[in-house]
Amino acid sequence: MPNGTGKAPDLFKQNDRVRRFVPLGIILVGIVVLAGLALAITQRMNELREAPGDNLTWTLSQVEVDVLLLMDEALLTAQAEVQDVSDIRRRFDNLYSRTSTLRDAPVFLEMRKDEVFSSQLSTLERCLTKLAKIIDSPDAELLANLTPLVNELKQIREEAHAIALTGIGLRSQSSDIERASLARLLLIAALVSLLTILFLGFVLFVIVRQYRLRHEASDAVVRANARLKSTFDVSLDAIVVANTDGVILEFNEAAETVFGFDSSEAVGQDMSEMIIPEHLRAAHIAGMERLNKTKEPHLVGKGRIEITALRKSGEEFPVEISIGMASDHRGTIFISYLRDITERVAAEQDLKMARDEALAAEKAKSNFLAVMSHEMRTPLNGIFGTLELLGNSEINKKQRSYLDIAKRSGDILLHHVNDVLDISRMDAEKMELVENTFDLAQFFEDVITTNEATADAQSNTLKLQLEKMPDGAVLMDERRMRQVTYNLISNALKFTTNGTVTLRANSTLDQHGQLTLEFSVIDTGVGIHAEDQAHVFDRFYTQERSYDRFASGAGLGLAICKQLVDMMGGAISLQSQVGKGTSFTVVVPFKTSDTAQKPAEITEVAVDLAPLKGQEILLVEDNEINRLIVHEMLKANGMVVHEVHNGQEAVDLAQTRKYAAILMDVSMPVMNGVDATEIIRNTFGPNQNAKIIGLTAHALADEHARFIASGMNSVLNKPIAQATLLNALLLAVQDENLQQDAIWNNGAETLIAADTFDELEQLLQPERLQKLIADFDAEITGLLAHVPQLLLDGDMPTLAANMHKSIGSAGMIGVHHFQSALRGLEQAAKAANVESANKHADLVMAAWPATQSALQAKSYTLG
Amino acid sequence: MSFLNALCATAAVISFASMPAFADTLPAPKGEVLLTISGDLSHETAGAAKGTVTLDLEILQSLETQVFTTSTIWIEGNIEFTGVSLRDVLDYAGATGTTIEAIASNDYKVDIPTDTLTGGSNENAPIVAYFMDGAEMSARGKGPLWIVYPYDDDVQYRTEVVYSRSIWQLDRIVTVQ
């Protein structure tokens, strides 16, 4: 509540109190005054009613009458000459009694205080006392003294008259005063009454006016309350009103429905015990306490919050709650609007589950594809191997043509499997571009040459139109470029019969120095329907309408092309008209390599396989077919093969017998090839330094690096071609026999592991890499310079330590063959085998010049 | 109060059972006659004027004595009055009138309806007092007889009418229909 409005109610309250008490005070004072007056008047009236005394004036005047009567009696007695004086005496007694009343009666007290009255009364009494002597004298004497008695009475009569007049005068005076006083009292009473009545009238007027105002206000409040009540009652959301002690004050119908409590059950109860789940109560109570203490709400006024609530049945359910704070006659209250969101949450969860399931299904599908494709390569390996063995055997011409068909079919199948694997890799974001330098013109010519046979098969003419081509070599991922170009051309050839497929290529240089290659594959084939054009790059999209019987494909080719081109930073587009033909255009940026390096000619070199004859080879392979094929290949070339089925068996056998080479499958039960290799390398035995060649279906570069790191000398991808296998073995055997020259001079690629070096190239600036190579060159040159002296000294530990240092450097830079030569020397030195050390030292010395020149060549190409 | 009246009347009848019921002759007073009752009476005193009943102090004292102390407006201080109930006096005389005229020796006269003699807060008020503070009252004072009310007992005895009926120097009563 803002400060400004906070003071208003207090002020109002104060005013209210003043307004309430002042009139009440006035009325009370009026009533008290009136009561006092009433009391005073009543007393006066009582005084009046009680008659302050006898009729005073009567008594006063009666004195004179009594005198006259006595005088009359005396005169009568004198004239009649009667002897009876009892009447005279009686009249005198009457007079005397009357006079003593004036003297004694309290009612004459006021008059007696008057000096005149008092002296007159004294005079009268004195006269009466004097007269009494005559009256009390014997009858005769009294009779004789009647005349003086009458004379005396004449004087007394004067006195009595005077005293009556004085008394009456005094009496009327005091009467006047009394009347005036009473009149004043009555007047005051009347005035006070009038004032009180007037004030009561005013108060009544105010009250009536207030009543009307209040009535109007209360009408408005009643109407507002009715509106609120109906809002409260018909609200679809549960509304729970509670005070700061957490006691429920109101509970609407929706709340009854949501929580299952009747309003009568809920109101007056502790909210936390009714509708808050037990595990949340402590937090709720703490929150209330904190709020009551700090007055800083955490939940109040924070909009919608999702929490858990409790039903009467004990069921917990999710609610969306919004809490407001207000003040009324009950103090601070909290108004909570709650919405049961059980269904919504359930729906959300269903939706989430459905999405997760869909994603899982999608992932399962792609995993399935990847695994299936992967698994297909093993049997394919078997097929290729068998076909190769078959080709080597004595078969007739017809059989050979069947064999060709089988080989081509196998190639297609392998192609599809590779496509799927490519897609899987792309999805797993494991695909990386590996750039190398090549000649673009040569590249396109090769593509055309290799597809000519296919073109001929459907009577198609294959044309190459090269426009401006870069002068030197370009730096691109040749393999992926070849994949894209092959795909497009074979696609074009597939959908064209008796037509022409043209490969047109051009390169441009824009003002920023950016080189762009644009090439199109244009056919005169069936074309693609407009509505299909948008989908041709989608995966598994096959064009039902234009597919002829001969065309086949999984619909992945173009999708892979698009993704590869995207990876290269380029774009692929198409133009097509049904019946006229289709044109796919690829635009990719590229860089040139300054040094025009012609790739090594892929030419069949007659290899002397003689060194392999009679060599003992350990074949570690769990798959029976693969084992058979490799076994057959090795046997056909005169080698002796020992077979084991897993890594553990290999480790065991390697302890007993020395092998020229170990062919180690990677994925095997019991113990895999990587673990087995590590154990063999780390265990002293005849094969600790043996050549270990990994066999794997894992085609990923980082996997290869892992295998090499485990101690394998090289890794061969399945399916294994016989030539590749023999080459690798020849290298291994010749390395062992110091007859490596022919193979080692085969080219830089053999000496430097492309994977490792490419990685370095990607990681480091060319200058840094050049420096690294130069440092390595210097390190080895220095190392080798000391070797003869150390051998001469027979200082094997130093030799081993020196070798060990450089093994790491060699591994890092990727000269694995040189590295294994170093490792051989290190092991020999460690074993303190001087003879072996000498042999290995020769090997290292012999290996270095080729490695060095290959590294220098690499360094040179880096510019 | 009529029941009480009846009771009192019965009591009176029982007390004077020996007396004649109608036109009985009452014994003549031996001392000075203090009060003479005339008018509608069912008794008369032997030797007195015809149709009158006379009472002396002795006769008055033979009636039930009433004593009370009260202040008055005529004499300063509280006074003990001794006398007999006026009603008893009238009963003694067999008065049958509805009103009595009480007359003083100075000829002051006042009417007292007989129905005012019962039903007051004091059953026996007013009384015909013959002693004031235990002594006879002189004729030169308020005596010898004075009809007094117990003024202090009740506000109804402090009215102008009651004061006017408080006749002193009483010597005659005349009952009238």
Side-chain angles (χ1 to χ4, degrees):
Chain A
M1 191 186 283
N3 271 342
T5 55
K7 285 176 183 168
D10 292 343
L11 214 86
F12 187 76
K13 267 181 200 164
Q14 238 172 27
N15 270 341
D16 219 35
R17 200 171 296 157
V18 167
R19 272 208 309 230
R20 199 175 302 158
F21 285 113
V22 164
L24 205 66
I26 291 173
I27 291 168
L28 267 177
V29 166
I31 286 170
V32 166
V33 169
L34 274 180
L37 283 169
L39 210 66
I41 290 168
T42 308
Q43 214 173 335
R44 275 298 170 85
M45 293 311 289
N46 274 341
E47 278 167 27
L48 286 176
R49 193 151 60 103
E50 281 173 23
D54 209 349
N55 196 331
L56 297 178
T57 45
W58 159 267
T59 308
L60 286 168
S61 56
Q62 208 60 33
V63 176
E64 191 184 355
V65 172
D66 285 342
V67 172
L68 287 172
L69 282 172
L70 175 59
M71 207 159 75
D72 195 33
E73 200 67 49
L75 284 174
L76 203 67
T77 306
Q79 282 168 8
E81 294 181 356
V82 185
Q83 297 303 307
D84 184 8
V85 290
S86 65
D87 280 340
I88 294 173
R89 287 199 174 104
R90 181 170 59 92
R91 291 297 176 193
F92 179 79
D93 288 349
N94 292 148
L95 171 62
Y96 197 93
S97 171
R98 186 91 61 197
T99 308
S100 65
T101 300
L102 292 185
R103 162 63 57 202
D104 299 333
V107 286
F108 291 103
L109 186 66
E110 286 301 313
M111 288 185 190
R112 286 198 295 271
K113 283 178 183 168
D114 185 76
E115 261 178 50
V116 177
F117 183 85
S118 186
S119 74
Q120 284 173 338
L121 184 59
S122 297
T123 309
L124 183 62
E125 280 178 325
R126 221 171 23 250
C127 292
L128 282 179
T129 307
K130 209 165 84 184
L131 206 59
K133 282 176 186 166
I134 302 170
I135 296 292
D136 292 341
S137 64
D139 290 359
E141 202 171 320
L142 177 57
L143 284 171
N145 286 324
L146 279 177
T147 308
L149 180 73
V150 169
N151 290 336
E152 191 69 31
L153 281 171
K154 277 178 185 166
Q155 196 198 331
I156 288 171
R157 193 205 145 194
E158 298 287 318
E159 289 299 327
H161 191 71
I163 206 166
L165 289 175
T166 308
I168 286 163
L170 287 170
R171 169 70 181 158
S172 56
Q173 241 175 46
S174 81
S175 287
D176 281 352
I177 291 167
E178 262 177 29
R179 267 193 298 276
S181 143
L182 187 62
R184 199 165 53 242
L185 205 59
L186 287 171
L187 186 67
I188 290 170
L191 277 175
V192 170
S193 300
L194 186 67
L195 283 175
T196 307
I197 286 164
L198 279 177
F199 187 74
L200 280 173
F202 171 72
V203 167
L204 189 68
F205 168 74
V206 169
I207 286 172
V208 166
R209 198 164 154 268
Q210 290 276 19
Y211 170 77
R212 275 199 198 132
L213 288 174
R214 289 283 162 109
H215 198 71
E216 278 166 27
S218 102
D219 272 358
V221 167
V222 165
R223 282 196 298 273
N225 271 342
R227 277 201 300 277
L228 276 178
K229 175 96 172 89
S230 74
T231 311
F232 181 77
D233 286 344
V234 304
S235 165
L236 293 175
D237 288 347
I239 302 177
V240 178
V241 179
N243 64 12
T244 48
D245 295 330
V247 173
I248 296 173
L249 302 174
E250 285 170 50
F251 204 74
N252 77 344
E253 284 176 21
E256 290 180 342
T257 312
V258 168
F259 290 104
F261 289 108
D262 270 355
S263 173
S264 57
E265 286 179 276
V267 169
Q269 297 298 309
D270 188 350
M271 182 168 61
S272 70
E273 281 172 22
M274 300 287 284
I275 59 171
I276 294 174
E278 211 169 334
H279 61 95
L280 294 176
R281 273 176 207 163
H284 166 77
I285 290 164
M288 289 287 281
E289 277 174 7
R290 187 194 53 236
L291 175 60
N292 284 334
K293 207 183 290 170
T294 64
K295 308 287 173 207
E296 280 173 18
H298 275 209
L299 296 181
V300 176
K302 294 294 156 71
R304 295 173 171 194
I305 308 147
E306 284 185 19
I307 58 166
T308 309
L310 182 69
R311 280 193 231 279
K312 189 183 185 181
S313 62
E315 180 199 345
E316 293 184 9
F317 65 106
V319 289
E320 194 175 67
I321 184 171
S322 165
I323 308 175
M325 218 162 111
S327 287
D328 69 1
H329 58 281
R330 297 167 290 199
T332 301
I333 56 168
F334 300 100
I335 306 146
S336 309
Y337 298 84
L338 301 114
R339 186 172 297 173
D340 185 347
I341 54 168
T342 309
E343 282 174 21
R344 197 180 84 193
V345 167
E348 277 172 8
Q349 269 170 356
D350 286 352
L351 209 62
K352 213 180 273 178
M353 210 182 288
R355 187 200 64 191
D356 288 349
E357 276 169 9
L359 285 176
E362 178 65 23
K363 192 157 186 221
K365 195 180 83 184
S366 76
N367 276 349
F368 171 75
L369 275 174
V371 170
M372 279 308 291
S373 309
H374 187 77
E375 291 302 320
M376 276 175 190
R377 283 162 68 127
T378 306
L380 265 178
N381 190 16
I383 292 166
F384 280 120
T386 316
L387 290 176
E388 198 142 3
L389 291 172
L390 201 58
N392 288 348
S393 65
E394 295 282 322
I395 50 171
N396 62 31
K397 209 174 174 186
K398 200 174 182 183
Q399 284 170 326
R400 193 162 296 282
S401 77
Y402 292 158
L403 192 63
D404 285 345
I405 292 168
K407 267 187 168 176
R408 275 207 300 278
S409 299
D411 278 340
I412 291 168
L413 183 55
L414 183 62
H415 179 73
H416 288 334
V417 168
N418 283 337
D419 276 357
V420 172
L421 274 176
D422 274 348
I423 285 285
S424 299
R425 274 178 216 154
M426 284 169 181
D427 286 351
E429 290 175 351
K430 279 180 178 165
M431 182 175 276
E432 283 169 11
L433 290 176
V434 181
E435 290 187 338
N436 59 306
T437 53
F438 61 96
D439 186 283
L440 257 186
Q442 185 63 52
F443 168 83
F444 285 122
E445 277 162 20
D446 286 351
V447 171
I448 291 297
T449 311
T450 45
N451 278 289
E452 261 167 355
T454 322
D456 285 346
Q458 291 195 97
S459 311
N460 287 324
T461 311
L462 197 54
K463 285 185 186 167
L464 177 64
Q465 290 180 0
L466 290 180
E467 291 170 19
K468 190 173 181 305
M469 281 291 107
D471 288 336
V474 296
L475 188 64
M476 295 177 89
D477 188 330
E478 186 185 4
R479 191 179 146 217
R480 297 303 178 188
M481 273 294 289
R482 195 180 301 278
Q483 202 176 345
V484 171
T485 321
Y486 258 91
N487 251 319
L488 292 177
I489 289 179
S490 62
N491 231 25
L493 289 172
K494 219 159 36 175
F495 296 107
T496 309
T497 315
N498 296 321
T500 311
V501 173
T502 310
L503 173 59
R504 185 185 295 154
N506 188 25
S507 69
T508 54
L509 175 69
D510 71 8
Q511 64 247 46
H512 304 296
Q514 177 60 56
L515 285 160
T516 307
L517 170 66
E518 180 180 331
F519 68 94
S520 308
V521 175
I522 306 143
D523 67 52
T524 56
V526 294
I528 303 169
H529 283 281
E531 56 266 40
D532 289 328
Q533 289 181 13
H535 302 293
V536 296
F537 295 112
D538 293 350
R539 288 177 187 180
F540 303 108
Y541 185 81
T542 51
Q543 216 182 324
E544 299 295 342
R545 276 165 297 206
S546 58
Y547 250 125
D548 68 358
R549 303 272 169 221
F550 307 104
S552 68
L556 283 172
L558 285 173
I560 292 172
C561 282
K562 174 158 172 41
Q563 214 146 350
L564 288 173
V565 171
D566 285 348
M567 281 176 74
M568 292 178 200
I572 185 165
S573 58
L574 84 137
Q575 279 184 309
S576 183
Q577 214 174 338
V578 175
K580 291 276 177 70
T582 307
S583 158
F584 281 93
T585 304
V586 175
V587 180
V588 280
F590 72 98
K591 289 178 280 188
T592 52
S593 174
D594 288 344
T595 52
Q597 190 189 38
K598 288 278 179 181
E601 289 285 322
I602 309 166
T603 45
E604 286 287 325
V605 180
V607 181
D608 181 9
L609 296 171
L612 293 175
K613 293 249 187 303
Q615 294 286 358
E616 285 194 357
I617 309 292
L618 176 60
L619 174 60
V620 190
E621 169 67 80
D622 62 318
N623 184 288
E624 198 185 335
I625 298 166
N626 281 349
R627 208 160 58 228
L628 172 75
I629 292 160
V630 175
H631 195 146
E632 284 303 313
M633 284 178 177
L634 299 177
K635 214 166 81 178
N637 289 287
M639 282 168 270
V640 179
V641 184
H642 290 188
E643 286 181 357
V644 289
H645 298 170
N646 61 51
Q648 188 57 54
E649 289 176 7
V651 169
D652 295 344
L653 195 60
Q655 283 293 311
T656 62
R657 192 180 186 89
K658 179 162 174 62
Y659 291 100
I662 298 171
L663 292 173
M664 182 76 79
D665 184 26
V666 172
S667 303
M668 284 181 296
V670 186
M671 183 188 286
N672 66 35
V674 174
D675 292 346
T677 305
E678 278 177 352
I679 292 171
I680 292 167
R681 285 278 180 254
N682 295 321
T683 312
F684 182 76
N687 294 296
Q688 194 175 12
N689 299 314
K691 294 287 166 190
I692 300 178
I693 299 164
L695 308 176
T696 182
H698 298 277
L700 303 175
D702 58 342
E703 289 285 87
H704 280 212
R706 192 163 67 83
F707 303 152
I708 297 291
S710 78
M712 289 180 184
N713 297 80
S714 59
V715 181
L716 299 178
N717 272 343
K718 292 179 187 177
I720 299 157
Q722 184 171 275
T724 318
L725 178 64
L726 293 179
N727 261 333
L729 282 170
L730 198 58
L731 188 65
V733 172
Q734 284 179 337
D735 180 8
E736 202 70 2
N737 291 344
L738 309 179
Q739 291 176 347
Q740 77 295 349
D741 293 12
I743 302 301
W744 282 21
N745 291 333
N746 237 1
E749 296 300 320
T750 329
L751 296 170
I752 302 170
D755 295 337
T756 316
F757 198 82
D758 286 353
E759 227 168 76
L760 285 174
E761 260 190 310
Q762 280 165 23
L763 277 170
L764 302 172
Q765 299 285 325
E767 298 80 9
R768 286 291 312 270
L769 188 51
Q770 281 174 330
K771 177 149 192 316
L772 197 71
I773 292 168
D775 287 349
F776 180 71
D777 195 340
E779 184 191 332
I780 299 301
T781 308
L783 174 80
L784 297 186
H786 290 94
V787 170
Q789 189 58 48
L790 287 168
L791 282 172
L792 215 60
D793 294 343
D795 188 355
M796 292 298 124
T798 310
L799 189 61
N802 285 357
M803 288 305 119
H804 186 79
K805 233 189 302 176
S806 296
I807 286 169
S809 313
M812 185 193 69
I813 215 155
V815 285
H816 294 307
H817 289 285
F818 184 69
Q819 185 195 20
S820 52
L822 290 175
R823 191 178 278 131
L825 179 53
E826 184 205 19
Q827 296 299 333
K830 260 190 178 170
N833 187 337
V834 180
E835 194 192 333
S836 174
N838 273 309
K839 266 172 83 179
H840 277 96
D842 287 346
L843 200 59
V844 169
M845 294 297 193
W848 176 240
T851 307
Q852 188 178 31
S853 59
L855 279 172
Q856 281 169 352
K858 276 280 187 192
S859 178
Y860 191 64
T861 57
L862 291 171
Chain B
M1 289 300 164
S2 55
F3 170 73
L4 277 174
N5 288 346
L7 196 71
C8 291
T10 311
V13 166
I14 291 165
S15 355
F16 304 107
S18 59
M19 294 172 189
F22 184 68
D24 263 344
T25 306
L26 298 170
K30 289 166 191 152
E32 185 191 352
V33 171
L34 298 182
L35 182 61
T36 304
I37 304 172
S38 60
D40 298 318
L41 300 175
S42 48
H43 308 314
E44 60 179 20
T45 302
K50 178 137 177 83
T52 63
V53 170
T54 55
L55 298 98
D56 62 0
L57 185 62
E58 195 188 338
I59 292 169
L60 284 170
Q61 281 176 323
S62 73
L63 299 178
E64 193 184 352
T65 309
Q66 306 292 340
V67 181
F68 59 74
T69 303
T70 185
S71 66
T72 66
I73 58 167
W74 302 281
I75 298 164
E76 222 42 89
N78 288 332
I79 298 157
E80 185 199 76
F81 289 100
T82 308
V84 295
S85 171
L86 175 58
R87 196 188 57 243
D88 288 351
V89 172
L90 294 177
D91 286 344
Y92 173 78
T96 56
T98 55
T99 304
I100 59 159
E101 288 174 353
I103 306 164
S105 62
N106 60 7
D107 300 327
Y108 173 80
K109 187 177 82 178
V110 67
D111 288 353
I112 305 175
T114 52
D115 58 2
T116 64
L117 305 180
T118 56
S121 63
N122 187 324
E123 272 303 308
N124 300 308
I127 62 166
V128 178
Y130 45 81
F131 286 167
M132 195 170 85
D133 290 330
E136 281 184 52
M137 292 175 277
S138 76
R140 218 162 277 182
K142 305 293 180 194
L145 299 177
W146 187 2
I147 291 178
V148 289
Y149 292 77
Y151 308 101
D152 293 346
D153 284 9
D154 201 318
V155 73
Q156 72 179 15
Y157 299 133
R158 295 195 293 272
T159 65
E160 198 91 40
V161 173
V162 167
Y163 292 145
S164 70
R165 287 174 185 166
S166 300
I167 180 171
W168 61 72
Q169 294 178 327
L170 174 74
D171 61 357
R172 286 156 288 168
I173 288 175
V174 179
T175 69
V176 289
Q177 283 297 334

